[in-house]
Amino acid sequence: AQTVTQSQPEMSVQEAETVTLSCTYDTSESDYYLFWYKQPPSRQMILVIRQEAYKQQNATENRFSVNFQKAAKSFSLKISDSQLGDAAMYFCAYRSLTAGGTSYGKLTFGQGTILTVHP
Amino acid sequence: KAGVTQTPRYLIKTRGQQVTLSCSPISGHRSVSWYQQTPGQGLQFLFEYFSETQRNKGNFPGRFSGRQFSNSRSEMNVSTLELGDSALYLCASSLDGRYQPQHFGDGTRLSIL
């Protein structure tokens, strides 16, 4: 079974600064997706960024970028020019792409990292 | 395009009762997944439906069940409620539940007294 670990329960950053959230995962599979989701106090889980395991190039979405190290099974999220609206719980998630029913619709989540942004 | 809609937003029940939660996916999305979120266990996958068929199931007791209708709307039912069922229940929809990303609703907060 796959596992996802976020070793930083809490992180803080000053507005306009850069912060990196860590995520490691354990899998024996070669085909999968990795995601970062953001959950503000409003509860809705919002997709931040997605990485396909077969792509060597790191994904970027505006101020958000990832450092994907497949061999090390590491998937960190970098937030540049942090804004007050970035404050939230951030979850790293894994989705298998192996054949078979156990991969359908299932995300395996880490425990989350609470990000605080100071003005 | 409207997002994923979950109703009700809050629900209070007592032990032994049963409850039904509803999820309307984004238009055109045929896959609906359900998750339970608690402070202790985090986010755990319950099950996934696609075109009215359950394709995948997490490790939850049989008291947790679901279904999907022809319009892709989904319901989740929990029978014989226990205190430990208190949680935020999140629904997510996707075009295919495999290659396309999942988009989440605001969740239903279920409290068991």
Side-chain angles (χ1 to χ4, degrees):
Chain A
Q2 298 83 28
T3 58
V4 178
T5 303
Q6 294 178 249
S7 59
Q8 307 153 317
E10 297 183 34
M11 292 283 285
S12 64
V13 64
Q14 290 293 132
E15 200 175 3
E17 297 294 308
T18 296
V19 65
T20 299
L21 308 183
S22 300
C23 172
T24 58
Y25 59 96
D26 187 24
T27 185
S28 58
E29 299 171 339
S30 58
D31 293 325
Y32 49 87
Y33 287 154
L34 294 165
F35 303 86
W36 278 98
Y37 279 90
K38 161 187 174 181
Q39 188 179 40
S42 64
R43 303 182 337 197
Q44 185 181 24
M45 196 80 73
I46 300 164
L47 177 63
V48 174
I49 200 164
R50 174 174 80 161
Q51 175 78 44
E52 294 91 337
Y54 65 87
K55 287 187 178 178
Q56 291 188 331
Q57 186 174 6
N58 290 323
T60 62
E61 285 288 342
N62 301 313
R63 299 182 295 107
F64 299 89
S65 62
V66 298
N67 184 3
F68 173 50
Q69 301 290 327
K70 191 172 183 179
K73 295 178 184 171
S74 170
F75 182 61
S76 61
L77 174 70
K78 186 171 84 171
I79 306 174
S80 304
D81 186 27
S82 296
Q83 300 175 0
L84 294 177
D86 295 333
M89 175 86 92
Y90 285 79
F91 290 96
C92 178
Y94 173 103
R95 184 198 288 172
S96 167
L97 286 178
T98 59
T102 60
S103 64
Y104 291 127
K106 178 182 177 181
L107 289 169
T108 300
F109 287 90
Q111 288 297 101
T113 297
I114 299 172
L115 177 66
T116 303
V117 182
H118 298 289
Chain B
K1 207 178 214 184
V4 178
T5 303
Q6 289 188 248
T7 57
R9 195 162 166 82
Y10 299 93
L11 208 47
I12 299 175
K13 292 287 187 179
T14 57
R15 281 183 299 173
Q17 287 187 309
Q18 75 166 19
V19 67
T20 300
L21 313 182
S22 179
C23 173
S24 293
I26 292 172
S27 177
H29 285 194
R30 295 167 66 187
S31 167
V32 174
S33 295
W34 289 89
Y35 295 85
Q36 181 195 66
Q37 186 176 19
T38 60
Q41 298 298 316
L43 282 147
Q44 294 185 289
F45 171 76
L46 281 153
F47 31 65
E48 187 254 8
Y49 285 86
F50 183 87
S51 293
E52 301 180 66
T53 300
Q54 186 183 87
R55 293 194 302 184
N56 199 4
K57 188 177 188 303
N59 188 26
F60 277 81
R63 301 185 297 107
F64 291 81
S65 63
R67 60 178 175 168
Q68 187 181 36
F69 302 95
S70 58
N71 62 357
S72 293
R73 189 178 72 85
S74 177
E75 288 182 347
M76 189 191 90
N77 184 273
V78 187
S79 63
T80 319
L81 287 164
E82 300 176 0
L83 292 177
D85 297 333
S86 293
L88 179 66
Y89 290 89
L90 292 165
C91 163
S93 78
S94 164
L95 281 168
D96 62 2
R98 185 168 173 140
Y99 297 104
Q100 299 303 314
Q102 291 181 326
H103 299 273
F104 286 78
D106 289 344
T108 294
R109 173 77 65 188
L110 175 62
S111 299
I112 311 301
L113 303 178

